[in-house]
Amino acid sequence: MMKTYSALCIAVCCMVMACTSPPKSESSESTVPTTFETTGSIERLLPELDLLIPAEAKIEVLASGFTWSEGPLWLKDQNALIFSDVPKNTVYKWTEQDSISIYLQPSGYDGDRTDKHEPGANGLALDNEGNLILCQHGNRQLAKMATSLDAPKSAFLPITSTYNGKRYNSPNDVAISKEGVYYFTDPPYGLDEWDEKELEYNGVYKMGTDGQVSLLIDSLTRPNGIALSPDERTLYVAVSDPKAAKYYAYELDIDGNITTGKILLDVTPLVGSERRGLPDGLKVDNSGNLFATGPGGVLVISPEGKHLGTIMTGQATANCGFNADKTVLYMTAHSYLMRINLKP
């Protein structure tokens, strides 16, 4: 998560009641919304983008009033989306019919301090058994919710909280392989001045099915979003450093360890322009294309590193996530929850 939200937005967005859906068309037969406000635009740089995003696609604003929205995760069985509001230590739930409700609170910090600036969960994922996995800023750990998805409670089981006896900074995002291997990033965004940083670096880690954690990368300044290619032989990492705003691709061997790496796309020249945001969360579609948040909104990047275009949200966009069949992309963009339809 990047600290790009302003004090004004925090003041405006501090109440749960502020988290509302935009105006919708009314219907006498149903309360299900049929029309949402739209915003932004689609920047089409290469024709390949037309194969992924329909010409008529619009960016819809589903809800607003959050402090810093993150970690969108689709729950297929509930036909619902959950996502984090990190400063509010809350995970919200959105459905087409009922809009916004609190799903989990607290979500990332269950301690006694009241002066943590980013206490909540950040990235969210489902493990291979369908359990909710949370990157907890406040608790400085990767954790599993101890209850089922349809009966959420703030009861957490630590998955990993230290490396070589030292506490993590603030685990940010996680990707889980089909075999149950965890890959996660650990930048310092969740630390406070009084909250001591124990590791000298901001790492990218792997936790194997045996529970052993290994440090894969310690050279990236601000590792943030992370994802696997469809064949799970490439690991993608976004770096949210304004002086080195890049997306990296690392080749993995059969044991899931890094062999080589390269810069997939450098967007540092776009930083500081009118395009808000830095590289943050990212997801990969079935063809290996990256949907990566960054300057302007969500950049669409081919597996070869070609910038196909950008979903221009007009906001500093933290993360994105697909629905079950990857025909819809949900985006957490500053104080907003948005979506756009994709081609099947």
Side-chain angles (χ1 to χ4, degrees):
M1 192 197 84
M2 299 170 292
K3 302 176 182 177
T4 56
Y5 50 85
S6 66
L8 176 61
C9 287
I10 294 174
V12 173
C13 307
C14 63
M15 300 295 292
V16 171
M17 290 299 292
C19 303
T20 59
S21 291
K24 306 177 270 290
S25 64
E26 297 181 357
S27 169
S28 59
E29 298 180 357
S30 175
T31 59
V32 177
T34 57
T35 303
F36 292 96
E37 288 183 351
T38 60
T39 189
S41 61
I42 312 300
E43 177 187 55
R44 297 176 184 270
L45 300 177
L46 294 174
E48 291 94 319
L49 190 72
D50 298 337
L51 302 176
L52 305 176
I53 301 177
E56 69 278 8
K58 302 292 184 181
I59 303 170
E60 296 178 294
V61 180
L62 305 181
S64 63
F66 310 102
T67 305
W68 183 253
S69 56
E70 253 284 7
L73 176 66
W74 184 253
L75 303 182
K76 181 179 179 180
D77 292 344
Q78 299 184 36
N79 201 32
L81 186 86
I82 60 174
F83 61 97
S84 306
D85 190 336
V86 186
K88 292 304 177 186
N89 203 9
T90 300
V91 170
Y92 290 101
K93 178 180 178 179
W94 177 88
T95 66
E96 192 90 26
Q97 182 166 352
D98 299 324
S99 192
I100 293 292
S101 61
I102 291 177
Y103 182 78
L104 196 63
Q105 188 182 57
S107 66
Y109 181 64
D110 48 17
D112 298 327
R113 297 288 298 237
T114 60
D115 56 347
K116 288 194 69 62
H117 72 294
E118 295 179 6
N122 194 313
L124 307 174
L126 297 179
D127 68 12
N128 294 343
E129 287 73 46
N131 299 300
L132 178 60
I133 307 302
L134 308 97
C135 295
Q136 296 188 313
H137 272 196
N139 290 342
R140 296 173 67 171
Q141 65 183 9
L142 198 63
K144 176 173 68 174
M145 187 174 71
T147 58
S148 65
L149 295 177
D150 57 0
K153 293 182 180 179
S154 296
F156 307 112
L157 302 174
I159 296 173
T160 178
S161 56
T162 61
Y163 179 71
N164 286 344
K166 297 181 179 182
R167 297 182 71 192
Y168 294 115
N169 301 317
S170 50
N172 186 282
D173 211 348
V174 61
I176 306 173
S177 76
K178 298 180 181 69
E179 293 183 354
V181 176
Y182 290 74
Y183 297 89
F184 62 99
T185 57
D186 187 41
Y189 294 125
L191 297 179
D192 294 277
E193 291 183 0
W194 52 264
D195 207 5
E196 181 182 359
K197 180 178 170 66
E198 299 182 15
L199 294 163
E200 296 178 356
Y201 46 81
N202 303 314
V204 178
Y205 297 89
K206 167 196 168 188
M207 189 181 78
T209 55
D210 58 359
Q212 295 298 308
V213 178
S214 57
L215 175 65
L216 297 181
I217 308 167
D218 63 2
S219 59
L220 300 177
T221 52
R222 290 292 188 270
N224 201 316
I226 192 166
L228 289 162
S229 61
D231 64 3
E232 301 189 345
R233 298 302 299 270
T234 304
L235 181 71
Y236 297 106
V237 180
V239 175
S240 54
D241 184 340
K243 297 180 179 179
K246 303 173 183 179
Y247 306 95
Y248 287 82
Y250 297 93
E251 297 303 314
L252 303 178
D253 61 22
I254 58 173
D255 296 317
N257 296 313
I258 290 174
T259 57
T260 60
K262 66 178 181 180
I263 297 171
L264 186 71
L265 183 65
D266 185 349
V267 295
T268 309
L270 297 179
V271 177
S273 66
E274 296 181 356
R275 299 179 180 227
R276 300 176 184 175
L278 292 167
D280 202 323
L282 55 90
K283 298 296 185 294
V284 181
D285 70 11
N286 293 333
S287 298
N289 299 293
L290 281 71
F291 286 74
T293 61
V298 179
L299 285 73
V300 184
I301 308 167
S302 75
E304 297 77 30
K306 293 188 294 183
H307 183 191
L308 307 182
T310 301
I311 302 168
M312 303 286 287
T313 64
Q315 303 293 326
T317 305
N319 214 329
C320 58
F322 300 108
N323 66 341
D325 61 6
K326 299 188 177 181
T327 57
V328 177
L329 183 75
Y330 292 91
M331 299 166 284
T332 46
H334 199 165
S335 58
Y336 299 92
L337 174 66
M338 303 179 180
R339 75 177 174 191
I340 188 170
N341 290 327
L342 305 176
K343 284 192 174 181

Coordinates of all heavy atoms in Angstrom, one line a residue, residues 279-337:
P279 N 3.3 1.9 -8.9 CA 3.1 0.5 -9.0 C 2.7 -0.1 -7.7 O 3.3 0.2 -6.7 CB 4.4 -0.1 -9.5 CG 5.0 1.1 -10.3 CD 4.6 2.3 -9.5
D280 N 1.6 -0.9 -7.6 CA 1.1 -1.4 -6.4 C 0.7 -2.8 -6.6 O 1.4 -3.7 -7.0 CB 0.0 -0.5 -5.9 CG -0.2 -0.6 -4.4 OD1 -0.1 -1.7 -3.8 OD2 -0.5 0.4 -3.7
G281 N -0.6 -3.1 -6.5 CA -1.1 -4.5 -6.6 C -1.2 -4.9 -8.1 O -1.4 -4.0 -9.0
L282 N -1.2 -6.2 -8.3 CA -1.4 -6.6 -9.7 C -2.0 -8.1 -9.7 O -1.8 -8.8 -8.8 CB 0.0 -6.6 -10.4 CG 1.2 -7.4 -9.8 CD1 1.3 -8.8 -10.3 CD2 2.5 -6.6 -10.1
K283 N -2.6 -8.4 -10.8 CA -3.2 -9.7 -11.1 C -2.9 -10.1 -12.5 O -2.5 -9.3 -13.4 CB -4.7 -9.7 -10.9 CG -5.1 -9.3 -9.5 CD -4.7 -10.4 -8.4 CE -5.2 -10.1 -7.0 NZ -4.6 -8.8 -6.5
V284 N -3.0 -11.4 -12.8 CA -2.6 -11.9 -14.1 C -3.8 -12.7 -14.7 O -4.4 -13.5 -14.0 CB -1.4 -12.9 -14.0 CG1 -1.0 -13.4 -15.4 CG2 -0.2 -12.1 -13.4
D285 N -4.2 -12.4 -15.9 CA -5.3 -13.1 -16.5 C -4.9 -14.5 -17.1 O -3.7 -14.9 -16.9 CB -6.0 -12.3 -17.6 CG -5.2 -12.1 -18.9 OD1 -4.1 -12.8 -19.0 OD2 -5.5 -11.3 -19.7
N286 N -5.8 -15.2 -17.6 CA -5.5 -16.6 -18.1 C -4.5 -16.7 -19.2 O -3.9 -17.7 -19.5 CB -6.8 -17.3 -18.5 CG -7.7 -17.5 -17.3 OD1 -7.3 -17.6 -16.2 ND2 -9.0 -17.6 -17.6
S287 N -4.3 -15.6 -19.9 CA -3.4 -15.5 -21.1 C -2.0 -15.0 -20.6 O -1.1 -14.8 -21.5 CB -3.9 -14.7 -22.2 OG -5.1 -15.2 -22.7
G288 N -1.9 -14.7 -19.4 CA -0.6 -14.2 -18.9 C -0.4 -12.7 -18.9 O 0.6 -12.2 -18.6
N289 N -1.5 -11.9 -19.3 CA -1.4 -10.5 -19.3 C -1.5 -9.9 -17.8 O -2.3 -10.5 -17.0 CB -2.5 -9.8 -20.1 CG -2.4 -10.3 -21.6 OD1 -1.5 -9.9 -22.3 ND2 -3.4 -11.1 -22.0
L290 N -0.7 -8.9 -17.5 CA -0.8 -8.3 -16.2 C -1.8 -7.1 -16.2 O -1.8 -6.3 -17.1 CB 0.6 -7.8 -15.8 CG 1.6 -8.8 -15.3 CD1 2.1 -9.7 -16.4 CD2 2.8 -8.1 -14.6
F291 N -2.6 -7.1 -15.1 CA -3.4 -5.9 -14.8 C -2.8 -5.4 -13.6 O -3.0 -5.9 -12.5 CB -4.9 -6.3 -14.6 CG -5.6 -6.6 -15.9 CD1 -5.3 -7.8 -16.6 CD2 -6.4 -5.7 -16.5 CE1 -6.0 -8.1 -17.8 CE2 -7.1 -6.0 -17.7 CZ -6.8 -7.2 -18.4
A292 N -2.0 -4.3 -13.7 CA -1.1 -3.8 -12.7 C -1.4 -2.4 -12.4 O -1.3 -1.5 -13.2 CB 0.4 -4.0 -13.1
T293 N -1.7 -2.1 -11.1 CA -2.0 -0.7 -10.7 C -0.7 0.1 -10.8 O 0.4 -0.4 -10.5 CB -2.6 -0.6 -9.3 OG1 -1.7 -1.2 -8.4 CG2 -3.9 -1.4 -9.3
G294 N -0.8 1.3 -11.2 CA 0.3 2.2 -11.3 C -0.1 3.6 -11.7 O -1.3 4.0 -11.6
P295 N 0.8 4.4 -12.3 CA 0.5 5.7 -12.7 C -0.7 5.8 -13.6 O -0.7 5.2 -14.7 CB 1.8 6.2 -13.3 CG 2.9 5.4 -12.7 CD 2.2 4.1 -12.5
G296 N -1.8 6.4 -13.2 CA -3.0 6.6 -14.0 C -4.1 5.7 -13.7 O -5.3 6.0 -13.9
G297 N -3.8 4.5 -13.1 CA -4.9 3.6 -12.8 C -4.4 2.2 -12.8 O -3.6 1.7 -12.0
V298 N -4.9 1.4 -13.8 CA -4.5 0.0 -14.0 C -3.8 -0.1 -15.4 O -4.5 0.0 -16.4 CB -5.7 -1.0 -13.8 CG1 -5.2 -2.4 -14.0 CG2 -6.3 -0.8 -12.5
L299 N -2.5 -0.4 -15.4 CA -1.8 -0.7 -16.6 C -2.0 -2.1 -17.1 O -2.0 -3.0 -16.2 CB -0.3 -0.4 -16.4 CG 0.1 1.1 -16.4 CD1 -0.3 1.7 -15.0 CD2 1.6 1.2 -16.6
V300 N -2.3 -2.3 -18.3 CA -2.4 -3.6 -18.9 C -1.1 -3.9 -19.6 O -0.7 -3.2 -20.6 CB -3.6 -3.8 -19.8 CG1 -3.7 -5.2 -20.3 CG2 -4.9 -3.3 -19.1
I301 N -0.4 -5.0 -19.2 CA 1.0 -5.3 -19.7 C 1.0 -6.7 -20.2 O 0.5 -7.6 -19.6 CB 2.0 -5.1 -18.6 CG1 1.9 -3.8 -17.9 CG2 3.4 -5.3 -19.1 CD1 2.6 -3.6 -16.6
S302 N 1.5 -6.9 -21.4 CA 1.6 -8.2 -22.0 C 2.7 -9.0 -21.3 O 3.6 -8.5 -20.6 CB 2.0 -8.1 -23.5 OG 3.4 -7.8 -23.6
P303 N 2.7 -10.4 -21.4 CA 3.8 -11.2 -20.8 C 5.2 -10.8 -21.2 O 6.1 -11.0 -20.5 CB 3.4 -12.6 -21.2 CG 2.0 -12.6 -21.5 CD 1.7 -11.2 -22.1
E304 N 5.3 -10.2 -22.4 CA 6.5 -9.7 -23.0 C 7.0 -8.3 -22.4 O 8.0 -7.8 -22.8 CB 6.5 -9.7 -24.5 CG 6.3 -11.1 -25.1 CD 4.8 -11.5 -25.0 OE1 3.9 -10.6 -25.0 OE2 4.6 -12.8 -25.0
G305 N 6.1 -7.7 -21.7 CA 6.4 -6.4 -21.1 C 5.9 -5.2 -21.9 O 6.3 -4.1 -21.7
K306 N 5.0 -5.4 -22.9 CA 4.5 -4.3 -23.7 C 3.3 -3.7 -23.0 O 2.4 -4.4 -22.5 CB 4.0 -4.8 -25.1 CG 5.1 -5.3 -26.0 CD 4.6 -5.6 -27.4 CE 3.6 -6.8 -27.4 NZ 3.2 -7.1 -28.8
H307 N 3.4 -2.4 -22.9 CA 2.3 -1.6 -22.2 C 1.2 -1.4 -23.2 O 1.3 -0.6 -24.2 CB 2.8 -0.3 -21.8 CG 1.8 0.6 -21.0 ND1 2.1 1.9 -20.7 CD2 0.6 0.3 -20.5 CE1 1.0 2.4 -20.1 NE2 0.1 1.4 -20.0
L308 N 0.1 -2.2 -23.1 CA -1.0 -2.2 -24.0 C -1.9 -1.1 -23.9 O -2.6 -0.6 -24.8 CB -1.8 -3.6 -23.9 CG -1.0 -4.9 -24.0 CD1 -1.9 -6.1 -23.9 CD2 -0.1 -4.9 -25.3
G309 N -2.1 -0.6 -22.7 CA -3.0 0.5 -22.4 C -3.2 0.6 -20.9 O -2.6 -0.1 -20.1
T310 N -4.0 1.6 -20.5 CA -4.3 1.9 -19.1 C -5.7 2.1 -18.9 O -6.4 2.9 -19.6 CB -3.5 3.1 -18.6 OG1 -2.1 2.9 -18.9 CG2 -3.7 3.4 -17.2
I311 N -6.3 1.5 -17.9 CA -7.6 1.8 -17.4 C -7.5 3.0 -16.5 O -7.0 2.9 -15.3 CB -8.2 0.6 -16.6 CG1 -8.2 -0.6 -17.5 CG2 -9.6 1.0 -16.1 CD1 -8.5 -1.9 -16.7
M312 N -7.8 4.2 -17.0 CA -7.5 5.5 -16.3 C -8.6 5.8 -15.3 O -9.7 6.3 -15.7 CB -7.4 6.6 -17.4 CG -6.4 6.3 -18.5 SD -4.7 6.6 -17.9 CE -4.7 8.4 -17.7
T313 N -8.4 5.5 -14.1 CA -9.4 5.7 -13.0 C -9.5 7.1 -12.5 O -10.4 7.5 -11.9 CB -9.1 4.8 -11.8 OG1 -7.8 5.2 -11.2 CG2 -9.0 3.3 -12.2
G314 N -8.4 7.9 -12.7 CA -8.3 9.2 -12.2 C -8.0 9.3 -10.8 O -7.9 10.3 -10.2
Q315 N -7.6 8.1 -10.2 CA -7.3 8.0 -8.8 C -6.0 7.2 -8.6 O -5.6 6.4 -9.5 CB -8.4 7.3 -8.0 CG -9.8 7.9 -8.1 CD -9.8 9.3 -7.4 OE1 -9.2 9.6 -6.4 NE2 -10.6 10.2 -8.0
A316 N -5.3 7.4 -7.5 CA -4.2 6.6 -7.1 C -4.8 5.2 -6.8 O -5.6 5.1 -5.8 CB -3.5 7.1 -5.9
T317 N -4.5 4.2 -7.6 CA -5.2 2.9 -7.5 C -4.3 1.9 -6.9 O -3.2 1.6 -7.3 CB -5.6 2.5 -9.0 OG1 -6.4 3.5 -9.6 CG2 -6.5 1.2 -8.9
A318 N -4.8 1.3 -5.8 CA -4.0 0.4 -5.0 C -3.9 -1.0 -5.5 O -2.9 -1.6 -5.4 CB -4.5 0.5 -3.5
N319 N -5.1 -1.5 -5.9 CA -5.1 -3.0 -6.2 C -6.2 -3.3 -7.1 O -7.1 -2.4 -7.4 CB -5.1 -3.8 -5.0 CG -4.3 -5.1 -5.1 OD1 -4.2 -5.7 -6.2 ND2 -3.8 -5.6 -4.0
C320 N -6.3 -4.5 -7.6 CA -7.3 -5.0 -8.5 C -7.5 -6.5 -8.3 O -6.6 -7.2 -7.8 CB -7.1 -4.6 -10.0 SG -5.5 -5.3 -10.6
G321 N -8.6 -7.0 -8.8 CA -8.9 -8.4 -8.7 C -10.0 -8.8 -9.6 O -11.0 -8.0 -9.9
F322 N -10.0 -10.0 -10.1 CA -11.0 -10.5 -11.0 C -12.2 -11.2 -10.3 O -12.0 -11.6 -9.1 CB -10.4 -11.6 -11.9 CG -9.3 -11.1 -12.8 CD1 -8.0 -11.5 -12.5 CD2 -9.5 -10.2 -13.9 CE1 -6.9 -11.1 -13.3 CE2 -8.4 -9.8 -14.7 CZ -7.1 -10.2 -14.4
N323 N -13.3 -11.3 -11.0 CA -14.4 -12.2 -10.5 C -14.0 -13.6 -10.9 O -12.9 -13.9 -11.4 CB -15.7 -11.8 -11.1 CG -15.7 -12.0 -12.7 OD1 -14.7 -12.1 -13.3 ND2 -17.0 -12.0 -13.2
A324 N -14.9 -14.6 -10.7 CA -14.5 -16.0 -10.8 C -14.1 -16.4 -12.2 O -13.1 -17.1 -12.4 CB -15.7 -16.8 -10.4
D325 N -14.8 -15.9 -13.3 CA -14.4 -16.2 -14.6 C -13.5 -15.2 -15.3 O -13.3 -15.2 -16.5 CB -15.6 -16.6 -15.5 CG -16.6 -15.4 -15.6 OD1 -16.2 -14.3 -15.2 OD2 -17.7 -15.6 -16.2
K326 N -13.1 -14.2 -14.6 CA -12.2 -13.1 -15.1 C -12.8 -12.3 -16.2 O -12.1 -11.9 -17.1 CB -10.8 -13.7 -15.5 CG -10.1 -14.4 -14.3 CD -8.7 -14.8 -14.6 CE -8.0 -15.3 -13.4 NZ -6.6 -15.7 -13.6
T327 N -14.1 -12.1 -16.1 CA -14.8 -11.2 -17.1 C -15.1 -9.9 -16.5 O -15.6 -9.0 -17.2 CB -16.1 -11.8 -17.5 OG1 -16.9 -12.1 -16.4 CG2 -15.9 -13.2 -18.3
V328 N -14.7 -9.7 -15.2 CA -14.9 -8.4 -14.6 C -13.6 -8.1 -13.8 O -13.1 -9.0 -13.1 CB -16.1 -8.4 -13.6 CG1 -16.2 -7.0 -12.9 CG2 -17.4 -8.6 -14.4
L329 N -13.1 -6.9 -13.8 CA -12.0 -6.5 -13.0 C -12.5 -5.5 -12.0 O -13.1 -4.4 -12.3 CB -10.9 -5.8 -13.9 CG -9.6 -5.4 -13.1 CD1 -8.8 -6.7 -12.7 CD2 -8.8 -4.4 -13.9
Y330 N -12.3 -5.8 -10.7 CA -12.6 -4.8 -9.6 C -11.4 -4.1 -9.2 O -10.3 -4.7 -9.2 CB -13.2 -5.6 -8.4 CG -14.6 -6.2 -8.7 CD1 -14.7 -7.5 -9.2 CD2 -15.7 -5.5 -8.5 CE1 -15.9 -8.1 -9.4 CE2 -17.0 -6.0 -8.7 CZ -17.1 -7.3 -9.2 OH -18.3 -7.9 -9.5
M331 N -11.5 -2.8 -8.9 CA -10.4 -1.9 -8.6 C -10.6 -1.2 -7.3 O -11.7 -0.5 -7.2 CB -10.1 -1.0 -9.8 CG -9.8 -1.7 -11.1 SD -9.9 -0.6 -12.5 CE -11.7 -0.5 -12.7
T332 N -9.7 -1.2 -6.4 CA -9.7 -0.4 -5.3 C -8.9 0.9 -5.5 O -7.7 0.8 -5.7 CB -9.2 -1.1 -4.0 OG1 -8.0 -1.8 -4.3 CG2 -10.2 -2.1 -3.6
A333 N -9.5 2.0 -5.7 CA -8.9 3.2 -6.2 C -9.1 4.3 -5.1 O -10.1 5.0 -5.1 CB -9.5 3.6 -7.5
H334 N -8.1 4.5 -4.3 CA -8.1 5.5 -3.2 C -9.4 5.3 -2.3 O -9.5 4.3 -1.6 CB -8.1 6.9 -3.8 CG -7.6 8.0 -2.9 ND1 -7.2 9.2 -3.3 CD2 -7.6 8.0 -1.5 CE1 -6.9 9.9 -2.2 NE2 -7.1 9.2 -1.2
S335 N -10.3 6.2 -2.4 CA -11.5 6.1 -1.6 C -12.7 5.4 -2.3 O -13.8 5.5 -1.8 CB -12.0 7.5 -1.1 OG -12.2 8.4 -2.3
Y336 N -12.4 4.8 -3.4 CA -13.5 4.2 -4.3 C -13.3 2.7 -4.5 O -12.2 2.2 -4.4 CB -13.5 4.9 -5.6 CG -13.7 6.4 -5.6 CD1 -12.7 7.3 -5.5 CD2 -15.0 6.9 -5.6 CE1 -12.9 8.7 -5.5 CE2 -15.3 8.3 -5.6 CZ -14.2 9.1 -5.5 OH -14.4 10.5 -5.5
L337 N -14.4 2.1 -4.8 CA -14.5 0.7 -5.3 C -15.0 0.9 -6.7 O -16.1 1.4 -6.9 CB -15.3 -0.2 -4.5 CG -15.5 -1.6 -5.0 CD1 -14.2 -2.4 -5.1 CD2 -16.6 -2.3 -4.2

